[in-house]
């Protein structure tokens, strides 16, 4: 494979907070056209890696590149980021959120966003403060997945919502992402998402424990991703 197919590349990537290494000497080559699970227990470095890729944090040492570029204005134009918490003002209507994304991102497909809202039975006229937690998460996911991005970074998209909502969210992801791009999903809810994954990255205490295809993992271990995860991270 050549470098043009690599969407995310890290070399010796380290991020330190005080005396704690959140990430320690991470080397990754992540290619286009994948759905990848970024898996690990709380505090393993998942959110730190996603924030570094999105340019919200700077490395302590080492490097990270998106499509051959350091995180910056260009990479923000090709990366679609779903944070692990809501970031819209309560007074905003759902339609206001769509207008905001349309103003910010040239690759935002307004018609696709409205179609997804309709499929999810979400009223565009409702204010954010009136929505349930699950519906807020659906709206944010609609916005993120309505972009024709090269890289989708989803930080805990199914955390804290009921199983039915998780199914909606996963269906929305796999049916709406740019198939020439890559989706990275950070979560610790392995059983819920492994059916949609092509590859998995296991993080533990800031280091990569494993990075392999889901098919290879099942073939070599005879276990599901969830079973391997529980074995690797058993207390």
């Amino acid at each position: 494979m050549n470098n043009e197919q690599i969407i995310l590349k890290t070399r010796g990537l380290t991020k330190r907070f005080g005396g704690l290494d959140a990430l320690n000497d991470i080397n990754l080559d992540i290619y286009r056209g994948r759905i990848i699970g970024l898996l690990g227990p709380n505090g393993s470095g998942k959110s730190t890696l996603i924030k570094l890729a999105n340019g919200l944090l700077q490395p302590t040492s080492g490097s990270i590149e998106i499509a051959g570029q350091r995180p910056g204005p260009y990479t923000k134009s090709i990366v679609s980021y779903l944070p692990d918490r809501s970031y819209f003002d309560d007074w905003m209507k759902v339609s206001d959120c769509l207008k905001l994304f349309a103003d910010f991102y040239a690759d935002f497909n307004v018609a696709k966003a409205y179609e997804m809202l309709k499929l999810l039975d979400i009223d565009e006229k409702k204010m954010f403060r009136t929505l349930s937690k699950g519906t807020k998460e659906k709206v944010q996911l609609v916005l993120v997945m309505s972009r024709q991005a090269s890289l989708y970074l989803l930080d805990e998209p199914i955390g804290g919502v009921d199983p039915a909502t998780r199914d909606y969210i996963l269906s929305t992801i796999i049916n709406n992402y740019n198939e020439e791009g890559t989706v990275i999903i950070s979560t610790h809810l392995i059983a819920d998402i492994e059916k949609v994954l092509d590859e998995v990255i296991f993080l533990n205490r800031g280091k990569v424990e494993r990075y392999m295809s889901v098919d290879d993992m099942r073939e070599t271990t005879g276990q599901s991703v969830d079973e391997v995860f529980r074995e690797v991270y058993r207390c």
Side-chain angles (χ1 to χ4, degrees):
M1 294 185 173
N2 59 47
N3 285 336
E4 290 182 357
Q5 294 174 298
I6 295 176
I7 185 61
L8 189 153
K9 176 179 179 179
T10 71
R11 289 295 180 268
L13 182 65
T14 298
K15 180 60 182 179
R16 189 171 295 116
F17 296 101
L20 176 67
D21 284 342
L23 292 176
N24 188 352
D25 195 28
I26 300 292
N27 297 299
L28 289 170
D29 288 333
I30 294 177
Y31 290 85
R32 294 180 183 270
R34 314 284 203 275
I35 300 181
I36 299 172
L38 183 62
L39 312 179
N42 292 334
S44 59
K46 302 187 302 294
S47 291
T48 299
L49 180 57
I50 284 179
K51 288 176 181 176
L52 285 162
N54 204 50
L56 297 174
L57 295 173
Q58 295 299 314
T60 302
S61 60
S63 65
I64 183 167
E65 295 179 352
I66 310 294
Q69 302 286 325
R70 298 288 178 92
Y74 169 71
T75 63
K76 287 184 184 297
S77 73
I78 64 169
V79 173
S80 195
Y81 169 53
L82 178 71
D84 60 353
R85 63 193 65 192
S86 174
Y87 54 92
F88 291 111
D89 290 326
D90 281 346
W91 59 264
M92 295 178 74
K93 294 179 182 177
V94 173
S95 58
D96 293 328
C97 301
L98 269 65
K99 290 175 186 174
L100 185 67
F101 260 59
D103 287 342
F104 266 90
Y105 301 111
D107 63 0
F108 183 70
N109 187 329
V110 176
K112 182 177 182 180
Y114 274 108
E115 181 183 345
M116 290 166 66
L117 288 177
K118 186 176 180 180
L119 286 171
L120 294 171
D121 197 27
I122 298 172
D123 185 351
E124 69 200 61
K125 300 182 182 67
K126 284 198 171 182
M127 288 189 172
F128 226 65
R129 68 168 177 262
T130 67
L131 304 179
S132 68
K133 177 179 173 60
T135 303
K136 287 178 181 178
E137 298 211 3
K138 289 178 189 176
V139 171
Q140 292 189 175
L141 189 70
V142 164
L143 294 166
V144 168
M145 301 311 299
S146 293
R147 291 184 57 194
Q148 191 76 357
S150 295
L151 179 63
Y152 301 84
L153 299 173
L154 312 180
D155 196 355
E156 296 289 355
I158 59 173
V161 296
D162 61 84
T165 299
R166 289 176 197 166
D167 288 342
Y168 266 125
I169 288 173
L170 291 174
S171 174
T172 301
I173 291 169
I174 62 177
N175 291 322
N176 292 282
Y177 81 102
N178 171 18
E179 293 187 5
E180 294 180 1
T182 286
V183 181
I184 297 178
I185 306 174
S186 163
T187 188
H188 58 275
L189 299 171
I190 318 303
D192 292 286
I193 72 158
E194 73 167 272
K195 61 188 175 184
V196 308
L197 300 178
D198 299 309
E199 298 175 351
V200 290
I201 299 170
F202 282 6
L203 281 182
N204 192 22
R205 298 180 182 178
K207 288 185 172 289
V208 175
E209 291 270 354
R210 302 187 187 190
Y211 178 23
M212 61 195 305
S213 79
V214 169
D215 287 343
D216 285 347
M217 179 172 288
R218 289 172 180 152
E219 185 176 332
T220 58
T221 66
Q223 297 176 301
S224 69
V225 174
D226 186 51
E227 288 169 335
V228 175
F229 180 87
R230 291 173 186 273
E231 189 173 282
V232 169
Y233 297 104
R234 183 178 293 123
C235 295

